[in-house]
Amino acid sequence: MLAGCSDKKETDKGEAATGSGDGYEEVTIRLAYNLPQDHHIAIGVENFAKEVKEKSDGKVNVQVYPAGQLLSDKDMNQSILSGGVEMGVNSSTLWASTVPAMGIFDVPYVFNDYSAVGEALNGEFGDKLRGAMEEKGAKVLMFADYGYVQFANNKRQLKSPEDFKGLKIRSIGDLPSELIQAYGASPVFMGGGEVYMALQRNTVDGATSGTTAMLQRKYDEVTKYLTINNYAYLEFLLAVNKDFWDGLPEKTQDLLTEVAGETEVWIREQAEKEDSESAKALEEKGMDVYVVPQEDLKEWKEAAAPVRDMFVENAGQLGQELLDMVDEK
């Protein structure tokens, strides 16, 4: 599907050149993502594409390839950076291998509430991350809030870091793996689609993920315990190949930016709602839910200190600047 991409882009440029002067120039933009289509981020992205097409009278056509149809999450970033696909949605965790500062969202207990994330991303904090991405060749069009990340397992309720000892926990990236180790468990990295079977076969004892994904992937059928400690707040990025973006007419850039901004706000509102509703649904389906009391979080934070150190080591000065900005709030 990606073959002949350069020819496709040349065709798009040719179409753009023949567009009307006062209206939008014709262009086709491919957008790939891997989330289930009923996920709130996926719904937002699909609506983004629809709105762009409608507001441009069909001239700016965002073709969406959902649920891994075009690219896997592991291949997504390189394809965006190389121009293999014009747009893509992928997690900040996976972008951290390219831009280490993106790991800030995996640093435990950095963001205490939903509004704090929006405030940070709409200010200097967000600008620094956008700038780091552009240096690598990707324009961040939107930060899409996934929501908080929790722990599910089959062995026992996790009421303190001590309870992790001896467990095998599915991880989602380098920093989450460091956290799992800091708590005394063994991290096992695997894709989201593999987790259900791994839990069912006892290949792993538990997993870390958002409750929205846990519900959609039916964790309630293969795990008993859900521990809610809001240790990380994941972001997904709608990113655009920078060269492609720079070649778009200003009118088209303005339209994409405007609709992305509206979509970002809607997704952030949904994240809080979905976190609450999905956790309740998992409990109703039989999971034993434990919410870590606020007064106990100090112990969890102290045990997670090695993760913070690892982030600064990987992300350098920019990473430290981002942490300082969040800590000052």
Side-chain angles (χ1 to χ4, degrees):
M1 288 178 106
L2 297 182
C5 175
S6 58
D7 292 339
K8 169 72 176 167
K9 290 177 76 173
E10 288 300 319
T11 301
D12 290 343
K13 289 177 182 176
E15 289 174 350
T18 61
S20 59
D22 296 329
Y24 291 98
E25 298 178 351
E26 291 184 5
V27 63
T28 298
I29 305 171
R30 291 164 303 161
L31 191 167
Y33 70 85
N34 289 277
L35 292 163
Q37 284 181 273
D38 56 351
H39 193 279
H40 68 273
I41 291 178
I43 293 170
V45 167
E46 295 280 355
N47 191 61
F48 161 81
K50 180 182 176 183
E51 287 285 311
V52 167
K53 188 170 185 177
E54 289 179 354
K55 290 186 176 183
S56 65
D57 293 326
K59 294 290 185 67
V60 182
N61 181 23
V62 180
Q63 291 182 345
V64 181
Y65 296 86
Q69 288 180 7
L70 186 61
L71 290 162
S72 71
D73 53 2
K74 294 176 183 177
D75 296 330
M76 181 76 71
N77 296 352
Q78 186 54 43
S79 187
I80 294 170
L81 293 174
S82 67
V85 69
E86 290 79 39
M87 281 190 190
V89 179
N90 215 5
S91 71
S92 54
T93 302
L94 288 173
W95 272 112
S97 61
T98 302
V99 178
M102 276 296 171
I104 184 71
F105 299 103
D106 291 321
V107 177
Y109 313 105
V110 165
F111 293 106
N112 297 320
D113 58 65
Y114 296 88
S115 61
V117 182
E119 290 173 10
L121 289 173
N122 290 329
E124 186 182 1
F125 176 94
D127 291 341
K128 286 181 178 291
L129 287 173
R130 293 182 189 92
M133 285 286 287
E134 291 195 18
E135 288 178 7
K136 295 294 184 180
K139 159 84 175 174
V140 178
L141 198 56
M142 176 174 67
F143 281 98
D145 289 21
Y146 180 90
Y148 281 107
V149 189
Q150 320 296 353
F151 288 101
N153 86 97
N154 269 321
K155 297 294 185 181
R156 53 186 171 268
Q157 193 52 269
L158 308 175
K159 295 188 175 182
S160 77
E162 290 287 319
D163 294 325
F164 281 75
K165 288 187 176 178
L167 299 181
K168 292 178 292 183
I169 304 288
R170 175 257 178 164
S171 178
I172 54 176
D174 291 342
L175 291 179
S177 292
E178 185 74 12
L179 176 67
I180 290 167
Q181 287 182 308
Y183 285 168
S186 300
V188 180
F189 183 79
M190 63 179 66
E194 305 171 76
V195 181
Y196 183 95
M197 192 71 73
L199 289 165
Q200 189 177 52
R201 294 178 175 177
N202 296 317
T203 305
V204 294
D205 301 309
T208 182
S209 187
T211 51
T212 52
M214 289 182 186
L215 183 62
Q216 289 163 343
R217 299 190 187 279
K218 303 184 186 301
Y219 276 31
D220 56 281
E221 296 179 354
V222 288
T223 58
K224 182 176 180 181
Y225 303 100
L226 171 60
T227 304
I228 295 180
N229 65 344
N230 291 352
Y231 80 86
Y233 192 88
L234 292 191
E235 288 290 334
F236 275 66
L237 281 62
L238 173 55
V240 191
N241 175 273
K242 184 67 165 53
D243 289 339
F244 175 79
W245 175 264
D246 290 342
L248 290 173
E250 184 177 353
K251 187 177 180 70
T252 301
Q253 290 180 346
D254 289 345
L255 172 65
L256 292 168
T257 300
E258 175 191 342
V259 179
E262 295 168 354
T263 305
E264 182 174 281
V265 171
W266 182 87
I267 289 175
R268 183 159 296 129
E269 291 171 349
Q270 298 309 304
E272 183 170 4
K273 177 184 174 185
E274 292 287 337
D275 275 357
S276 175
E277 292 182 354
S278 56
K280 183 179 178 181
L282 289 168
E283 186 170 24
E284 290 173 349
K285 287 177 176 288
M287 292 192 75
D288 181 342
V289 179
Y290 177 74
V291 180
V292 177
Q294 192 71 27
E295 60 268 22
D296 291 353
L297 282 177
K298 182 180 179 182
E299 177 189 4
W300 293 73
K301 292 177 182 178
E302 288 175 351
V307 188
R308 197 178 180 96
D309 295 339
M310 181 180 178
F311 169 71
V312 173
E313 183 179 339
N314 291 342
Q317 182 179 345
L318 177 56
Q320 187 62 61
E321 288 176 6
L322 293 173
L323 279 177
D324 291 343
M325 292 173 72
V326 176
D327 289 343
E328 287 172 2
K329 297 296 184 180

